[in-house]
Amino acid sequence: GLYCRRLIKIYLAWAAVYIPMIGYEILKNPSHVKGVLSVLKNFFLIFSVVYHLWYLYASVVAAWGIYFLWYRGKSMGQIIAAGAVLYLIPIFARGYYGVYVYFFPDGSMVNNVFLYLGKLFGAFNGLTEGMLFMALGGLVAWKGWERCFSAGKLKLAVCVCCLGYLAELWFVYTYNLVNVGNSASFLLPPMVLS
């Protein structure tokens, strides 16, 4: 509750900073209607007056999801498992979308379903891309795991995870698997955790 209220205050403060700039851009644009529609789309789809504040909204949604599950009696392991399952949606819908394009013809039902899922569960969605990371961060802070490992082991884990993440990015971009706006990958959670 208190954490979400703090995030909402930060969001509102930044939104207040950007509103005059957005208004100026809308007035400057020859197509005022297009600018207004863009702001309304951002507000209703990602609850943000500007697209790049999506992470604040996603953080609030993720925190509420974790709070809801925790007070419904779920363990931290169950919350992390739920977050991992939800995180698979953007991985398969956006990170590896090219697989469906390769195996199924354009306009097929499979392609359309994953294209729709990719749009529906974009980065702004705190349940699919935020809950896992916030739960993992909470677990590390709660258990104090960083004290259980030496600095050398932590550095090695960071190096291995970063190399694995870079290899996965190289693979999906080389073989053109990524749908536009991808940020989900299999090796991002271990990299963030390390």
Side-chain angles (χ1 to χ4, degrees), residues 89-101 104-122 124 177-181:
I89 295 170
I91 286 177
F92 288 118
R94 293 196 330 269
Y96 287 86
Y97 177 74
V99 172
Y100 314 111
V101 173
F104 299 97
D106 280 343
S108 71
M109 189 173 83
V110 172
N111 269 359
N112 290 338
V113 165
F114 280 98
L115 187 62
Y116 177 73
L117 285 174
K119 289 179 181 177
L120 183 63
F121 294 105
F124 57 82
L177 301 179
V178 177
N179 194 358
V180 176

Side-chain angles (χ1 to χ4, degrees), residues 10-187:
I10 293 169
Y11 165 75
L12 291 174
W14 277 109
V17 168
Y18 281 107
I19 285 174
M21 290 183 264
I22 292 167
Y24 174 75
E25 286 297 319
I26 289 172
L27 292 174
K28 189 176 88 168
N29 189 338
S31 172
H32 300 307
V33 174
K34 187 177 179 182
V36 171
L37 291 176
S38 176
V39 170
L40 289 174
K41 180 190 82 168
N42 281 342
F43 182 76
F44 287 110
L45 289 180
I46 60 173
F47 299 98
S48 180
V49 290
V50 287
Y51 183 79
H52 62 272
L53 293 179
W54 65 266
Y55 63 92
L56 291 170
Y57 165 72
S59 297
V60 170
V61 171
W64 278 339
I66 292 168
Y67 178 83
F68 174 78
L69 291 174
W70 183 259
Y71 283 96
R72 298 279 296 197
K74 304 301 179 192
S75 69
M76 189 56 80
Q78 289 172 317
I79 294 170
I80 290 171
V85 169
L86 289 169
Y87 183 66
L88 290 175
I89 295 170
I91 286 177
F92 288 118
R94 293 196 330 269
Y96 287 86
Y97 177 74
V99 172
Y100 314 111
V101 173
Y102 181 79
F103 287 108
F104 299 97
D106 280 343
S108 71
M109 189 173 83
V110 172
N111 269 359
N112 290 338
V113 165
F114 280 98
L115 187 62
Y116 177 73
L117 285 174
K119 289 179 181 177
L120 183 63
F121 294 105
F124 57 82
N125 188 294
L127 292 178
T128 57
E129 293 205 25
M131 198 162 90
L132 173 63
F133 295 104
M134 288 188 83
L136 287 171
L139 181 65
V140 168
W142 183 30
K143 295 287 188 182
W145 280 357
E146 71 279 359
R147 294 189 299 270
C148 299
F149 300 100
S150 68
K153 287 180 183 176
L154 289 174
K155 288 176 186 175
L156 179 62
V158 168
C159 290
V160 169
C161 289
C162 285
L163 288 173
Y165 179 64
L166 290 173
E168 184 182 18
L169 289 180
W170 173 86
F171 174 75
V172 295
Y173 282 100
T174 299
Y175 292 99
N176 201 24
L177 301 179
V178 177
N179 194 358
V180 176
N182 173 63
S183 60
S185 72
F186 286 109
L187 292 172

